[in-house]
Amino acid sequence: MSEKSPPSHASVDGEKRDVLQIVPGSDESVNRGDSEPSDRILSTKIDFRILPILGLLYLICFLDRTNIANARIAGLEEGLNMPSTGYNTCLWIFYIPFVVFEVPSNMVMSWRRVRPNLWLGSLTFALGVLAMCQGLTRSYGGLLAIRFLMGIVETALPAGCAFLIASYYRKKELSLRFAIYYSFGQAGACFSGLLAYAIMDMEGIGGYEGWRWIFILEGLLTIVFSIPVLLLVPNFPDRAKWLKPAEQAALVARLEADKGEAKKELSFSDWKQVAMDYRIWLLTTLFFCADMSAGSLSSFNPTILSQLGWTAKRAQVMTIPVWIIGIVGGIIAALGVGKYNNRTAYILPSILFSILGWVLNYLQIDPPAVRYFAQFCISLGTFVQMPLYSGLLMANIRGKAAVSFGSAVQFGIGNCANFVASNVFINTQKPRYPVGFGTGLGITCFSFPLMLVLVGLFWRHNREYDRKVAAAIAAARDGGQVETTWDDQVYYRYVM
C-alpha cells in the first residue's frame, strides 16, 4: 500500500475554519459538492439507472428461489412422490454452490475485461431456463439436479448486484440503497404468492398440474427479463460510458474522496489482506443470523400459514402482508439511518422484534392470529437488519478487492443460514416444529450480543482514531511535525 499525505480539512471549532492536515476518513472530511444541485442531480441519475434494473433482477432471483414454497402447498410433493424429507433436501441443495462459487464469481466480475451486463444477463437467462425445467421434470431426482444447477447460476447474481451498488455510492448513501434493493426481493416473494394464487387455477391445462405452471411461467418471466439486464446493467464507475465525461469524472472524484483511490489492478496480497478482515466475518455472521429468519419465511411461510386453518389458496395470499411489513420497515429504518447516521439504534431493536416473533411461534400461543402476528414480527425485524448489515459492511471497507470479497462472503456464507432453515423444519413435527422454531430463536438471540461486540470493537477503533486526529490537529496548530503516513485504505473512522 502506498503512503499518502492526509488531505486538507477544516478544523472542528465553531470559529472560521483553518485548513489543517489531518487523517483521511475523518468525520470532518466533507465533500463540499454534496450540497450543490449538480451533486444531487448526479445521485438521482445514478439511482434511476442502477436501482430499478438491479432491484428487479433481485426480485426475479427471489421469485425463482421462493416459488418452491408456493408449489409445495399446490401439490409438488405429491406430484413427484417425494419422500418425507424431500422438500427440505430441495431447499438446502440449492445453497451448496453459494458457499463454493460466490467469491470466485465476484472475482471474475471484478476483472476489467468482464462486462457486468453480459455476465449478469447470461446468468439470468440460464436461471430462467433451469427454473422452467423444474416444472417439466418428472422425477424427484431430476428436481434435485435442477435445483443444484440453479444454485450455481444464481450464486453470482445477488452478490454481483451488491458489488455493483457498493461501487457507485458513498458510505452515507448505502443503507437506503440497500434497503431499496432488498425491498425488491421481498416484493418478489409477494409477487410469488399472488402469482401462485392465480396460477393454481391452471390445474390440468396442457396436461400439467397447477404447481408445474408456477415454475414454468415464472421461469419464462426470468428468461424475458434477461434481455433488459443485458441492455441496461451499467459498467463500473470508471468505465461508465452512459454518463457524460464530466459526470463520470465527478462520480469517480467523489467516490475517491469518500473511500480512497481505487487500485486499477488487484494483487494476490490484496485478496489475502481482505480475507483476514474481522469486520467482514463479524458482519457476515450477523447477516447469517438474520438470514435464518429470512430463509424460514421464504421457504416455510406458506406452509406455516396453511396450518393455521386457511385453505392453500388463501394461505398464498396471506403471505403478502407479511412481506410488505418487511419492505416498509426496512425503508423507514434506512431513511432514519440517512438522517441520523446511526445504524445500531435500528439494528438492536429489530433483533428484539425478531426474537418476539420466534418466541410466539415456539410457544404456539393461541389463537392462530397470534402466530400470524409472529410472522410480521420476524419479517419486520429481519428486513430492517439485512440491508443495514450490508450497508454497514460496504461503508466500512475500502478498495475493490475488499468490496468484491466482502459482498461475496456476506451473501455466500450468510446464505448458509438456509442450510439450517432447510433442515430444522421437520415434516413429521408439524405444526409445532419445535426444532425449527427453537433453532430460529437461538440463532436470533445470538445476534444481539454479537452486535454489541461489533459496536465495542468499532468504538475502540474510533476512539484511537480520534486521538490521532486530535494529535494531528494540535501539532498543525503549533507548527509541529504532522504524521503523514496514514493510508486511507487502511486507517479511517468506522461508521456505526
Side-chain angles (χ1 to χ4, degrees), residues 267-348:
S267 65
F268 175 76
S269 62
D270 293 323
W271 295 104
K272 182 178 178 181
Q273 183 179 25
V274 300
M276 304 300 291
D277 193 328
Y278 79 89
R279 295 167 298 174
I280 292 175
W281 297 104
L282 271 179
L283 281 161
T284 294
T285 305
L286 285 163
F287 189 91
F288 174 99
C289 293
D291 202 39
M292 170 65 192
S293 297
S296 300
L297 283 174
S298 63
S299 300
F300 293 96
N301 198 27
T303 301
I304 292 170
L305 297 189
S306 70
Q307 292 167 357
L308 296 183
W310 291 318
T311 64
K313 287 193 67 173
R314 188 181 178 192
Q316 303 277 22
V317 176
M318 296 302 287
T319 63
I320 296 174
V322 175
W323 293 104
I324 290 176
I325 194 66
I327 294 172
V328 174
I331 291 178
I332 290 175
L335 289 170
V337 168
K339 183 174 182 179
Y340 299 108
N341 196 29
N342 188 333
R343 295 153 185 81
T344 307
Y346 292 92
I347 290 174
L348 292 176

Coordinates of all heavy atoms in Angstrom, one line a residue, residues 267-348:
S267 N -3.8 -7.3 -6.7 CA -2.8 -8.4 -6.5 C -3.3 -9.5 -5.5 O -4.3 -9.3 -4.8 CB -1.5 -7.8 -5.9 OG -1.7 -7.3 -4.6
F268 N -2.5 -10.6 -5.5 CA -2.9 -11.6 -4.6 C -2.9 -11.2 -3.1 O -3.7 -11.6 -2.3 CB -2.0 -12.8 -4.7 CG -2.2 -13.9 -3.8 CD1 -3.3 -14.8 -3.9 CD2 -1.4 -14.1 -2.7 CE1 -3.5 -15.8 -3.0 CE2 -1.6 -15.1 -1.7 CZ -2.7 -16.0 -1.9
S269 N -1.9 -10.3 -2.8 CA -1.8 -9.8 -1.4 C -3.0 -9.0 -1.0 O -3.4 -8.9 0.1 CB -0.5 -9.0 -1.3 OG -0.5 -7.8 -2.1
D270 N -3.6 -8.3 -2.0 CA -4.9 -7.5 -1.7 C -6.0 -8.5 -1.3 O -6.7 -8.2 -0.3 CB -5.3 -6.7 -3.0 CG -4.3 -5.6 -3.4 OD1 -3.8 -5.0 -2.4 OD2 -4.1 -5.4 -4.6
W271 N -6.2 -9.5 -2.0 CA -7.2 -10.5 -1.7 C -6.9 -11.2 -0.3 O -7.8 -11.4 0.5 CB -7.3 -11.6 -2.8 CG -7.8 -11.0 -4.1 CD1 -7.1 -10.8 -5.2 CD2 -9.1 -10.6 -4.4 NE1 -7.9 -10.2 -6.2 CE2 -9.1 -10.1 -5.7 CE3 -10.4 -10.6 -3.7 CZ2 -10.3 -9.7 -6.4 CZ3 -11.5 -10.1 -4.3 CH2 -11.4 -9.7 -5.7
K272 N -5.6 -11.5 -0.1 CA -5.2 -12.1 1.2 C -5.5 -11.2 2.4 O -6.0 -11.7 3.4 CB -3.8 -12.5 1.1 CG -3.3 -13.3 2.3 CD -1.8 -13.6 2.2 CE -1.3 -14.3 3.4 NZ 0.2 -14.7 3.3
Q273 N -5.2 -9.9 2.2 CA -5.4 -9.0 3.3 C -6.9 -8.9 3.7 O -7.2 -8.9 4.8 CB -4.8 -7.6 2.9 CG -4.9 -6.6 4.0 CD -4.3 -5.3 3.6 OE1 -4.3 -4.9 2.4 NE2 -3.9 -4.5 4.6
V274 N -7.7 -8.7 2.7 CA -9.2 -8.5 3.0 C -9.8 -9.8 3.5 O -10.8 -9.8 4.3 CB -10.0 -8.0 1.8 CG1 -9.4 -6.7 1.3 CG2 -10.0 -9.0 0.6
A275 N -9.2 -11.0 3.2 CA -9.8 -12.2 3.7 C -9.6 -12.4 5.2 O -10.3 -13.2 5.8 CB -9.1 -13.4 2.9
M276 N -8.7 -11.6 5.8 CA -8.4 -11.7 7.2 C -9.1 -10.6 8.0 O -8.9 -10.4 9.2 CB -6.9 -11.6 7.4 CG -6.1 -12.6 6.7 SD -6.6 -14.3 7.2 CE -6.0 -14.3 8.9
D277 N -10.0 -9.8 7.3 CA -10.6 -8.6 7.9 C -11.7 -9.1 8.8 O -12.7 -9.7 8.4 CB -11.1 -7.7 6.8 CG -11.5 -6.3 7.4 OD1 -12.0 -6.3 8.5 OD2 -11.4 -5.4 6.6
Y278 N -11.6 -8.8 10.1 CA -12.6 -9.2 11.1 C -14.0 -8.6 10.8 O -15.0 -9.2 11.2 CB -12.2 -9.0 12.5 CG -12.3 -7.5 13.0 CD1 -13.5 -7.1 13.6 CD2 -11.3 -6.6 12.8 CE1 -13.7 -5.8 14.0 CE2 -11.5 -5.3 13.2 CZ -12.7 -4.9 13.8 OH -12.8 -3.6 14.2
R279 N -14.0 -7.4 10.3 CA -15.3 -6.7 10.0 C -16.2 -7.5 9.0 O -17.4 -7.7 9.2 CB -15.1 -5.3 9.5 CG -14.4 -4.4 10.5 CD -13.9 -3.1 9.8 NE -12.9 -3.4 8.8 CZ -12.4 -2.5 7.9 NH1 -12.8 -1.3 8.0 NH2 -11.5 -2.9 7.1
I280 N -15.5 -8.1 8.0 CA -16.2 -8.9 7.0 C -16.9 -10.1 7.7 O -18.0 -10.4 7.5 CB -15.3 -9.3 5.9 CG1 -14.9 -8.1 5.1 CG2 -16.0 -10.4 5.0 CD1 -13.9 -8.4 4.0
W281 N -16.1 -10.8 8.5 CA -16.6 -12.0 9.1 C -17.6 -11.8 10.2 O -18.6 -12.6 10.3 CB -15.4 -12.9 9.6 CG -14.5 -13.3 8.5 CD1 -13.3 -12.7 8.2 CD2 -14.8 -14.2 7.5 NE1 -12.8 -13.3 7.0 CE2 -13.7 -14.2 6.6 CE3 -15.9 -15.1 7.2 CZ2 -13.7 -15.1 5.5 CZ3 -15.8 -15.9 6.1 CH2 -14.7 -15.9 5.3
L282 N -17.5 -10.7 11.0 CA -18.5 -10.4 12.0 C -19.8 -10.0 11.4 O -20.9 -10.5 11.8 CB -18.0 -9.3 12.9 CG -17.2 -9.7 14.2 CD1 -16.7 -8.5 15.0 CD2 -17.9 -10.7 15.1
L283 N -19.7 -9.2 10.4 CA -21.0 -8.7 9.7 C -21.6 -9.8 8.9 O -22.8 -9.9 8.7 CB -20.7 -7.5 8.9 CG -20.6 -6.2 9.8 CD1 -19.9 -5.1 9.1 CD2 -22.1 -5.8 10.2
T284 N -20.8 -10.8 8.4 CA -21.3 -11.9 7.7 C -22.1 -12.8 8.7 O -23.1 -13.4 8.4 CB -20.2 -12.7 7.0 OG1 -19.6 -11.9 6.0 CG2 -20.7 -14.0 6.4
T285 N -21.5 -13.0 9.9 CA -22.2 -13.8 10.9 C -23.5 -13.2 11.3 O -24.5 -13.9 11.5 CB -21.3 -14.0 12.1 OG1 -20.0 -14.5 11.7 CG2 -21.9 -14.9 13.1
L286 N -23.5 -11.9 11.5 CA -24.8 -11.2 11.8 C -25.8 -11.3 10.6 O -27.0 -11.6 10.9 CB -24.5 -9.7 12.1 CG -23.8 -9.4 13.4 CD1 -23.2 -8.0 13.4 CD2 -24.9 -9.6 14.5
F287 N -25.3 -11.2 9.4 CA -26.2 -11.4 8.2 C -26.7 -12.9 8.3 O -27.9 -13.1 7.9 CB -25.4 -11.2 7.0 CG -26.2 -11.1 5.7 CD1 -26.7 -9.9 5.3 CD2 -26.5 -12.2 5.0 CE1 -27.5 -9.8 4.1 CE2 -27.2 -12.2 3.8 CZ -27.7 -11.0 3.4
F288 N -25.9 -13.8 8.6 CA -26.3 -15.2 8.7 C -27.4 -15.4 9.7 O -28.4 -16.0 9.4 CB -25.1 -16.1 9.2 CG -25.4 -17.5 9.5 CD1 -25.1 -18.5 8.5 CD2 -25.9 -17.9 10.7 CE1 -25.4 -19.8 8.8 CE2 -26.2 -19.2 11.0 CZ -25.9 -20.2 10.0
C289 N -27.3 -14.7 10.9 CA -28.4 -14.8 11.9 C -29.7 -14.2 11.4 O -30.8 -14.8 11.6 CB -27.9 -14.1 13.1 SG -26.5 -14.8 14.0
A290 N -29.6 -13.1 10.7 CA -30.8 -12.5 10.1 C -31.4 -13.4 9.0 O -32.6 -13.5 8.8 CB -30.5 -11.1 9.6
D291 N -30.5 -13.9 8.2 CA -30.9 -14.7 7.0 C -31.6 -16.0 7.5 O -32.3 -16.6 6.7 CB -29.8 -15.0 6.1 CG -30.2 -15.3 4.7 OD1 -31.2 -14.6 4.2 OD2 -29.6 -16.2 4.0
M292 N -31.3 -16.5 8.7 CA -32.0 -17.7 9.2 C -33.5 -17.4 9.2 O -34.4 -18.2 8.8 CB -31.5 -18.0 10.6 CG -32.4 -19.0 11.3 SD -32.3 -20.7 10.6 CE -33.7 -21.5 11.4
S293 N -33.9 -16.1 9.7 CA -35.3 -15.8 9.7 C -35.8 -15.6 8.3 O -36.9 -16.0 8.0 CB -35.5 -14.5 10.5 OG -35.1 -14.6 11.8
A294 N -35.0 -14.9 7.4 CA -35.5 -14.7 6.0 C -35.7 -16.0 5.3 O -36.7 -16.2 4.6 CB -34.5 -13.8 5.3
G295 N -34.7 -16.9 5.5 CA -34.9 -18.2 4.8 C -36.1 -19.0 5.3 O -36.7 -19.7 4.6
S296 N -36.3 -18.9 6.6 CA -37.5 -19.6 7.2 C -38.8 -19.0 6.6 O -39.7 -19.8 6.3 CB -37.5 -19.5 8.7 OG -36.4 -20.1 9.2
L297 N -38.9 -17.7 6.5 CA -40.0 -17.0 5.9 C -40.3 -17.4 4.5 O -41.4 -17.8 4.1 CB -39.9 -15.5 6.0 CG -40.2 -14.9 7.4 CD1 -39.9 -13.4 7.4 CD2 -41.6 -15.1 7.9
S298 N -39.2 -17.4 3.7 CA -39.3 -17.6 2.3 C -39.7 -19.1 2.0 O -40.4 -19.4 1.0 CB -38.0 -17.2 1.5 OG -36.9 -18.0 1.9
S299 N -39.1 -20.0 2.8 CA -39.3 -21.4 2.5 C -40.5 -22.1 3.2 O -41.1 -23.1 2.7 CB -38.1 -22.2 2.9 OG -36.9 -21.7 2.1
F300 N -40.9 -21.5 4.3 CA -41.9 -22.2 5.1 C -43.1 -21.3 5.5 O -44.1 -21.8 6.1 CB -41.3 -22.8 6.4 CG -40.3 -23.9 6.1 CD1 -39.0 -23.6 6.0 CD2 -40.8 -25.2 5.9 CE1 -38.1 -24.7 5.8 CE2 -39.9 -26.2 5.7 CZ -38.5 -26.0 5.6
N301 N -43.1 -20.0 5.1 CA -44.2 -19.2 5.5 C -45.5 -19.7 4.9 O -46.5 -19.8 5.7 CB -43.9 -17.7 5.0 CG -44.8 -16.7 5.7 OD1 -45.2 -16.9 6.8 ND2 -45.0 -15.6 5.0
P302 N -45.6 -20.0 3.6 CA -46.9 -20.6 3.1 C -47.3 -21.8 3.8 O -48.5 -22.0 4.1 CB -46.6 -20.8 1.6 CG -45.5 -19.9 1.3 CD -44.6 -19.9 2.5
T303 N -46.4 -22.7 4.1 CA -46.7 -23.9 4.8 C -47.3 -23.7 6.2 O -48.3 -24.2 6.6 CB -45.5 -24.8 4.9 OG1 -45.0 -25.1 3.6 CG2 -45.8 -26.1 5.7
I304 N -46.6 -22.8 7.0 CA -47.0 -22.5 8.3 C -48.4 -21.8 8.3 O -49.2 -22.2 9.1 CB -45.9 -21.5 9.0 CG1 -44.6 -22.3 9.2 CG2 -46.5 -21.0 10.3 CD1 -43.5 -21.5 9.7
L305 N -48.6 -20.9 7.4 CA -49.9 -20.2 7.3 C -51.0 -21.2 6.9 O -52.1 -21.1 7.4 CB -49.8 -19.0 6.4 CG -48.9 -17.9 6.8 CD1 -49.1 -16.7 5.9 CD2 -49.0 -17.5 8.2
S306 N -50.7 -22.1 6.1 CA -51.7 -23.1 5.7 C -52.1 -24.0 6.8 O -53.3 -24.5 6.8 CB -51.2 -24.0 4.5 OG -50.2 -24.8 4.9
Q307 N -51.3 -24.1 7.8 CA -51.6 -24.9 9.0 C -52.3 -24.1 10.1 O -52.5 -24.7 11.2 CB -50.3 -25.6 9.5 CG -49.7 -26.6 8.5 CD -48.3 -27.0 8.9 OE1 -47.7 -26.5 9.8 NE2 -47.8 -28.0 8.1
L308 N -52.5 -22.9 9.8 CA -53.3 -22.1 10.8 C -54.8 -22.1 10.5 O -55.6 -21.4 11.2 CB -52.9 -20.6 10.7 CG -51.4 -20.3 11.2 CD1 -51.1 -18.8 11.1 CD2 -51.1 -20.9 12.5
G309 N -55.2 -23.0 9.6 CA -56.6 -23.2 9.3 C -57.1 -22.7 8.0 O -58.3 -22.8 7.7
W310 N -56.2 -22.0 7.2 CA -56.6 -21.4 6.0 C -56.4 -22.5 4.9 O -55.6 -23.4 4.9 CB -55.8 -20.2 5.6 CG -56.0 -19.1 6.5 CD1 -57.2 -18.6 7.0 CD2 -55.1 -18.2 7.1 NE1 -57.1 -17.5 7.8 CE2 -55.8 -17.2 7.9 CE3 -53.7 -18.1 7.1 CZ2 -55.1 -16.2 8.6 CZ3 -53.0 -17.1 7.8 CH2 -53.8 -16.1 8.5
T311 N -57.2 -22.3 3.8 CA -57.0 -23.1 2.6 C -55.7 -22.8 2.0 O -55.1 -21.7 2.2 CB -58.1 -22.9 1.6 OG1 -58.1 -21.5 1.1 CG2 -59.5 -23.2 2.2
A312 N -55.2 -23.7 1.1 CA -53.9 -23.4 0.4 C -53.9 -22.1 -0.4 O -53.0 -21.4 -0.3 CB -53.6 -24.6 -0.5
K313 N -55.0 -21.9 -1.1 CA -55.1 -20.6 -1.9 C -55.1 -19.4 -1.0 O -54.4 -18.4 -1.3 CB -56.4 -20.6 -2.8 CG -56.3 -21.6 -3.9 CD -57.4 -21.3 -4.9 CE -57.3 -20.0 -5.6 NZ -58.3 -19.8 -6.7
R314 N -55.8 -19.4 0.1 CA -55.9 -18.3 0.9 C -54.5 -18.1 1.6 O -54.1 -16.9 1.8 CB -57.0 -18.4 2.0 CG -57.1 -17.1 2.8 CD -58.2 -17.2 3.9 NE -58.2 -15.9 4.6 CZ -58.9 -15.7 5.7 NH1 -59.6 -16.7 6.3 NH2 -58.9 -14.5 6.3
A315 N -53.8 -19.1 2.0 CA -52.5 -19.0 2.6 C -51.5 -18.4 1.7 O -50.6 -17.6 2.1 CB -52.0 -20.4 3.0
Q316 N -51.7 -18.6 0.3 CA -50.8 -18.0 -0.6 C -50.9 -16.5 -0.5 O -49.9 -15.7 -0.5 CB -51.1 -18.4 -2.1 CG -51.1 -19.9 -2.3 CD -49.7 -20.4 -2.6 OE1 -48.7 -19.8 -2.3 NE2 -49.6 -21.6 -3.3
V317 N -52.2 -16.0 -0.5 CA -52.4 -14.5 -0.4 C -52.0 -14.0 0.9 O -51.5 -12.8 1.0 CB -53.9 -14.3 -0.7 CG1 -54.2 -12.8 -0.6 CG2 -54.3 -14.7 -2.1
M318 N -52.2 -14.7 2.0 CA -51.9 -14.2 3.3 C -50.5 -14.0 3.6 O -50.1 -13.4 4.6 CB -52.6 -15.0 4.4 CG -54.1 -15.1 4.3 SD -54.9 -13.5 4.5 CE -54.7 -13.1 6.2
T319 N -49.6 -14.6 2.7 CA -48.2 -14.3 2.9 C -47.8 -12.9 2.5 O -46.8 -12.4 3.0 CB -47.3 -15.3 2.0 OG1 -47.6 -15.1 0.7 CG2 -47.7 -16.8 2.4
I320 N -48.6 -12.3 1.6 CA -48.2 -11.0 1.1 C -48.1 -9.9 2.1 O -47.0 -9.2 2.1 CB -49.2 -10.6 0.0 CG1 -49.2 -11.6 -1.2 CG2 -49.0 -9.2 -0.5 CD1 -50.2 -11.4 -2.3
P321 N -49.0 -9.7 3.0 CA -48.8 -8.6 4.1 C -47.6 -8.8 4.9 O -47.0 -7.9 5.4 CB -50.1 -8.7 4.9 CG -51.1 -9.4 4.0 CD -50.4 -10.3 3.2
V322 N -47.2 -10.1 5.1 CA -46.0 -10.4 5.9 C -44.8 -9.8 5.3 O -43.9 -9.2 5.9 CB -45.9 -11.9 6.2 CG1 -44.6 -12.2 6.9 CG2 -47.0 -12.5 6.9
W323 N -44.7 -9.9 4.0 CA -43.5 -9.4 3.2 C -43.6 -7.9 3.2 O -42.6 -7.2 3.2 CB -43.5 -10.0 1.8 CG -43.2 -11.4 1.8 CD1 -44.0 -12.5 1.6 CD2 -41.9 -12.1 2.1 NE1 -43.4 -13.7 1.7 CE2 -42.1 -13.5 2.0 CE3 -40.6 -11.6 2.4 CZ2 -41.1 -14.4 2.2 CZ3 -39.6 -12.5 2.6 CH2 -39.8 -13.8 2.5
I324 N -44.8 -7.3 3.0 CA -45.0 -5.9 2.9 C -44.5 -5.2 4.1 O -43.8 -4.1 4.0 CB -46.4 -5.5 2.6 CG1 -46.8 -6.0 1.2 CG2 -46.7 -4.0 2.7 CD1 -48.3 -5.7 0.8
I325 N -44.8 -5.7 5.3 CA -44.3 -5.0 6.5 C -42.8 -5.0 6.6 O -42.2 -4.0 7.1 CB -44.9 -5.7 7.8 CG1 -44.7 -4.9 9.0 CG2 -44.3 -7.1 8.0 CD1 -45.5 -3.6 9.0
G326 N -42.1 -6.0 6.0 CA -40.7 -6.0 6.0 C -40.1 -5.0 5.0 O -39.1 -4.3 5.3
I327 N -40.8 -4.8 3.9 CA -40.4 -3.8 2.9 C -40.5 -2.4 3.5 O -39.6 -1.6 3.5 CB -41.3 -3.8 1.7 CG1 -41.0 -5.2 0.9 CG2 -41.0 -2.6 0.7 CD1 -42.0 -5.4 -0.2
V328 N -41.7 -2.1 4.1 CA -41.9 -0.8 4.7 C -40.9 -0.5 5.9 O -40.3 0.6 6.0 CB -43.4 -0.6 5.2 CG1 -43.6 0.7 5.9 CG2 -44.3 -0.7 4.0
G329 N -40.8 -1.5 6.8 CA -39.9 -1.3 7.9 C -38.4 -1.1 7.5 O -37.7 -0.2 8.0
G330 N -38.0 -1.8 6.5 CA -36.6 -1.7 6.0 C -36.3 -0.3 5.4 O -35.3 0.3 5.7
I331 N -37.3 0.2 4.6 CA -37.0 1.5 4.0 C -37.1 2.6 5.1 O -36.3 3.6 5.0 CB -38.1 1.7 2.9 CG1 -37.8 0.8 1.7 CG2 -38.0 3.2 2.4 CD1 -38.7 0.9 0.6
I332 N -38.1 2.6 6.0 CA -38.2 3.6 7.0 C -36.9 3.6 7.9 O -36.4 4.7 8.2 CB -39.4 3.3 7.9 CG1 -40.7 3.6 7.1 CG2 -39.4 4.2 9.2 CD1 -42.0 3.3 7.9
A333 N -36.4 2.4 8.2 CA -35.2 2.4 9.0 C -34.0 3.0 8.3 O -33.2 3.7 8.8 CB -34.8 0.9 9.4
A334 N -33.9 2.7 7.0 CA -32.8 3.2 6.2 C -32.9 4.7 6.0 O -31.9 5.4 6.0 CB -32.8 2.6 4.8
L335 N -34.1 5.3 5.9 CA -34.3 6.7 5.9 C -33.8 7.3 7.2 O -33.2 8.4 7.2 CB -35.7 7.1 5.6 CG -36.2 6.8 4.2 CD1 -37.7 7.0 4.1 CD2 -35.5 7.7 3.2
G336 N -34.1 6.7 8.3 CA -33.7 7.2 9.6 C -32.2 7.1 9.7 O -31.6 8.1 10.3
V337 N -31.6 6.1 9.2 CA -30.1 6.0 9.2 C -29.5 7.1 8.4 O -28.5 7.7 8.8 CB -29.6 4.6 8.7 CG1 -28.1 4.6 8.4 CG2 -30.0 3.5 9.7
G338 N -30.1 7.4 7.3 CA -29.6 8.5 6.5 C -29.6 9.8 7.1 O -28.8 10.7 6.9
K339 N -30.6 10.0 8.0 CA -30.8 11.3 8.7 C -30.0 11.4 9.9 O -29.3 12.4 10.2 CB -32.3 11.5 9.1 CG -32.6 12.8 9.7 CD -34.1 13.0 9.9 CE -34.4 14.4 10.6 NZ -35.9 14.6 10.8
Y340 N -29.9 10.3 10.7 CA -29.2 10.4 12.0 C -27.9 9.7 12.0 O -27.1 9.8 13.0 CB -30.1 9.8 13.1 CG -31.4 10.5 13.2 CD1 -32.6 9.9 12.8 CD2 -31.5 11.8 13.8 CE1 -33.8 10.5 13.0 CE2 -32.7 12.4 13.9 CZ -33.9 11.8 13.5 OH -35.1 12.5 13.7
N341 N -27.5 8.9 10.9 CA -26.2 8.3 10.8 C -25.9 7.4 12.0 O -24.8 7.3 12.5 CB -25.1 9.3 10.6 CG -23.8 8.7 10.1 OD1 -23.9 7.7 9.4 ND2 -22.7 9.2 10.4
N342 N -27.0 6.6 12.4 CA -26.8 5.7 13.5 C -27.5 4.4 13.2 O -28.7 4.3 13.3 CB -27.3 6.3 14.8 CG -27.0 5.4 16.0 OD1 -26.8 4.2 15.9 ND2 -26.9 6.1 17.2
R343 N -26.8 3.3 12.8 CA -27.4 2.1 12.4 C -27.7 1.2 13.6 O -28.7 0.5 13.6 CB -26.5 1.3 11.4 CG -26.3 2.0 10.1 CD -24.9 1.7 9.5 NE -24.7 2.5 8.3 CZ -24.3 3.8 8.3 NH1 -24.0 4.4 9.4 NH2 -24.1 4.4 7.1
T344 N -26.9 1.3 14.6 CA -27.0 0.5 15.8 C -28.4 0.7 16.5 O -29.0 -0.2 17.0 CB -25.9 0.7 16.8 OG1 -24.6 0.6 16.2 CG2 -26.0 -0.2 18.0
A345 N -28.8 1.9 16.5 CA -30.1 2.3 17.1 C -31.3 1.6 16.4 O -32.4 1.5 17.0 CB -30.3 3.8 17.1
Y346 N -31.1 1.2 15.2 CA -32.2 0.5 14.5 C -32.0 -1.0 14.5 O -33.0 -1.8 14.5 CB -32.3 1.0 13.0 CG -32.7 2.4 12.9 CD1 -31.8 3.5 12.9 CD2 -34.1 2.7 12.9 CE1 -32.2 4.8 12.8 CE2 -34.5 4.1 12.8 CZ -33.6 5.1 12.8 OH -34.0 6.4 12.7
I347 N -30.7 -1.4 14.5 CA -30.5 -2.9 14.4 C -30.8 -3.6 15.7 O -31.5 -4.6 15.7 CB -29.0 -3.1 14.1 CG1 -28.7 -2.7 12.7 CG2 -28.6 -4.6 14.3 CD1 -27.2 -2.8 12.3
L348 N -30.4 -3.1 16.9 CA -30.7 -3.8 18.1 C -32.2 -3.9 18.4 O -32.7 -5.0 18.8 CB -30.0 -3.0 19.3 CG -28.5 -3.1 19.3 CD1 -27.9 -2.3 20.4 CD2 -28.0 -4.5 19.4

